Amino acid sequence: MPAIRFTSVSKLYPHHNGRMLLRDRILHQIRKPKKMFAALQDVNLEIERGEGIALVGHNGAGKSTMLSLTAGLTNATTGLVEVAGSVA
């Protein structure tokens, strides 16, 4: 079994234009935003125990999002993230 497995993982974030007023933030939480930003889209990945990898890409490529999903800091919008054991 792989140490880390991403199966059809996608992560969407609400898209907004820059800074928001407090009133807009509250409304943003209540209403579903119309525009969504896809940080990751249908990612499949397996990393075996003992393997080392490097995430390389331009700004906005989803590197930090992948790390957040792996560490369990955030959940995937769709798909499955499996982590066997601890991640360092």
Side-chain angles (χ1 to χ4, degrees):
M1 179 178 167
I4 300 170
R5 178 184 291 156
F6 280 49
T7 308
S8 299
V9 173
S10 295
K11 179 64 178 176
L12 301 174
Y13 289 105
H15 181 68
H16 58 84
N17 296 331
R19 301 172 103 180
M20 291 194 301
L21 299 172
L22 177 60
R23 145 194 79 128
D24 295 329
R25 284 189 212 172
I26 294 168
L27 290 174
H28 193 72
Q29 294 296 324
I30 295 170
R31 297 182 198 151
K32 281 287 185 193
K34 293 179 180 142
K35 289 189 206 174
M36 298 295 279
F37 170 74
L40 295 175
Q41 206 168 20
D42 198 31
V43 174
N44 294 297
L45 172 72
E46 286 190 1
I47 302 170
E48 297 296 330
R49 189 172 300 281
E51 272 187 322
I53 67 162
L55 296 175
V56 180
H58 58 82
N59 290 344
K63 302 177 296 287
S64 296
T65 302
M66 285 186 73
L67 291 172
S68 295
L69 289 166
T70 303
L73 299 175
T74 186
N75 295 322
T77 306
T78 62
L80 180 65
V81 177
E82 298 174 280
V83 179
S86 60
V87 179

